Amino acid sequence: AKESLSENICYYEPGMDERARHRRQLANDLRHALARDELRILYQPQRSLKTNKVSGYEALLRWHHPRFGLISPAEFIPIAEQTGEIMRIGEWVLRAACAEAVRWKWDGKIAVNLSPVQLLKPDLPERVTNILLETGLSPRRLELEITETAIIADKARALHSLRRIKASGVSVAMDDFGTGYSSLDTLHSFPFDKIKIDKSFLLRAEQSEQAGTIVRAVLALGKSLGIPVLAEGVETESQLALLVREGCDEAQGYYFGKPGEAPSMIAYRASFQ
Ligand code: C2E
Ligand code: CA
Ligand code: CA
Ligand code: CA
């Protein structure tokens, strides 16, 4: 009885310590992840609902930790942002994803997520241009996905960087639309090339009338601003039907394909093009 009591006590108090220690451990290991070849990129198709063809792929990062196994980017990206490691990792993702897209035998887009930390570095536009030159990817084929948090952190600086990036021919998508605070204001101040409706709305769309209404409202907004809308998180045929009915431009989700191996590594052309 005494033993189980002490186990109970141990469970709570050092639980916090344990979490903090785990985080420190990850932060430390992350510094070596690139050199140790533990990072991989998976690619998820984005499909045009107008032509029914794959229009591009989103690059999604994975970390295969030698002891803890597969770690989600939702867990390690925030750590990398805190330690500054995101700069090296983000640059690596961008370079690797652009190099991958160069190997495709068609001119689809490669979409790469950008951390707010990367966006707020003044030399981001040069870094992007250099990677395009290095890899030989046409700027028209690169799309950077940016969340609103990145813009809100320092609006003037973010918009200045985004304008320079756009001027180089790279396109910019607003990611996770609808989860931020001043989405309308941000959309108004910067000419995004795409709006990505956050997957939480679609995941709720079937159960709740309201979520469906929000999806419809974003589609109407995109239409009135002349910005194409992509819906994330399409998992079912009925979600797809809703999007097609409402005139959504593009979609992405498990229904079309989970994030997977690099397109250049698989025989994808026959089925998608
Ligand atoms: P995100 O940019 O919103 O990416 C979409 C997430 O939804 C991905 O999670 C994807 O695997 C998942 N997803 C796609 N289709 C479906 C679906 O039909 N249903 C559901 N439930 N989920 C779906 P993932 O790959 O775990 O990435 C999580 C987040 O980590 C990303 O969210 C993004 O914010 C961040 N991230 C991933 N790779 C990078 C990267 O290279 N750089 C940066 N800065 N962030 C990244
Ligand atoms: Ca994204
Ligand atoms: Ca998203
Ligand atoms: Ca997200």
Side-chain angles (χ1 to χ4, degrees):
K2 199 177 172 202
E3 228 170 50
S4 78
L5 181 66
S6 74
E7 262 169 27
N8 276 333
I9 293 166
C10 282
Y11 182 76
Y12 287 103
E13 266 251 281
M16 300 296 286
D17 270 13
E18 193 56 42
R19 279 244 287 284
R21 225 185 50 200
H22 184 64
R23 226 184 127 87
R24 271 200 304 278
Q25 167 97 56
L26 291 187
N28 189 55
D29 294 347
L30 205 47
R31 291 191 294 126
H32 310 288
L34 269 177
R36 292 176 183 163
D37 198 27
E38 293 165 3
L39 299 182
R40 286 286 178 276
I41 301 174
L42 298 184
Y43 298 83
Q44 185 178 37
Q46 303 182 325
R47 192 179 282 253
S48 162
L49 299 181
K50 307 294 178 190
T51 66
N52 234 356
K53 287 178 178 169
V54 171
S55 47
Y57 284 85
E58 178 177 2
L60 293 160
L61 193 56
R62 295 291 179 269
W63 181 15
H64 293 271
H65 191 281
R67 267 180 55 217
F68 307 128
L70 190 64
I71 301 179
S72 156
E75 184 175 1
F76 72 82
I77 295 277
I79 296 175
E81 288 175 338
Q82 243 173 31
T83 62
E85 194 60 30
I86 190 66
M87 291 306 295
R88 285 205 308 139
I89 292 175
E91 185 131 342
W92 176 81
V93 171
L94 193 57
R95 184 175 292 109
C98 288
E100 161 62 25
V102 166
R103 290 192 283 268
W104 304 346
K105 297 286 185 287
W106 62 301
D107 62 355
K109 276 205 164 138
I110 178 74
V112 181
N113 292 286
L114 213 61
S115 156
V117 178
Q118 290 173 280
L119 182 64
L120 294 176
K121 288 278 190 288
D123 64 346
L124 177 73
E126 285 78 25
R127 284 171 188 263
V128 172
T129 307
N130 284 341
I131 288 174
L132 290 170
L133 288 173
E134 249 176 68
T135 56
L137 186 74
S138 158
R140 287 177 298 100
R141 297 187 52 204
L142 176 62
E143 185 153 82
L144 297 175
E145 298 195 355
I146 287 147
T147 61
E148 214 172 1
T149 1
I151 293 167
I152 288 167
D154 185 340
K155 196 163 178 180
R157 191 191 282 193
L159 294 183
H160 180 68
S161 252
L162 288 180
R163 287 207 179 87
R164 285 167 62 211
I165 287 170
K166 262 203 80 158
S168 74
V170 172
S171 56
V172 181
M174 178 179 276
D175 206 352
D176 298 354
F177 184 80
T179 58
Y181 287 102
S182 56
S183 302
L184 294 177
D185 180 49
T186 312
L187 266 191
H188 198 70
S189 350
F190 182 79
F192 282 93
D193 300 282
K194 190 179 288 179
I195 298 171
K196 295 189 78 176
I197 309 182
D198 190 70
K199 60 175 177 286
S200 58
F201 294 108
L202 210 56
L203 294 176
R204 276 178 284 160
E206 271 165 320
Q207 296 102 301
S208 113
E209 243 332 285
Q210 238 181 351
T213 307
I214 290 172
V215 169
R216 271 189 285 276
V218 177
L219 291 173
L221 179 69
K223 261 201 198 89
S224 73
L225 290 171
I227 307 175
V229 173
L230 180 151
E232 292 187 325
V234 184
E235 293 183 356
T236 67
E237 185 139 23
S238 65
Q239 288 171 336
L240 175 62
L242 167 83
L243 296 171
V244 170
R245 195 164 60 234
E246 301 297 335
C248 188
D249 303 277
E250 278 181 78
Q252 180 180 351
Y254 298 163
Y255 183 78
F256 296 119
K258 294 199 169 179
E261 223 182 327
S264 67
M265 305 290 282
I266 53 173
Y268 68 98
R269 260 160 267 133
S271 51
F272 287 150
Q273 266 198 292

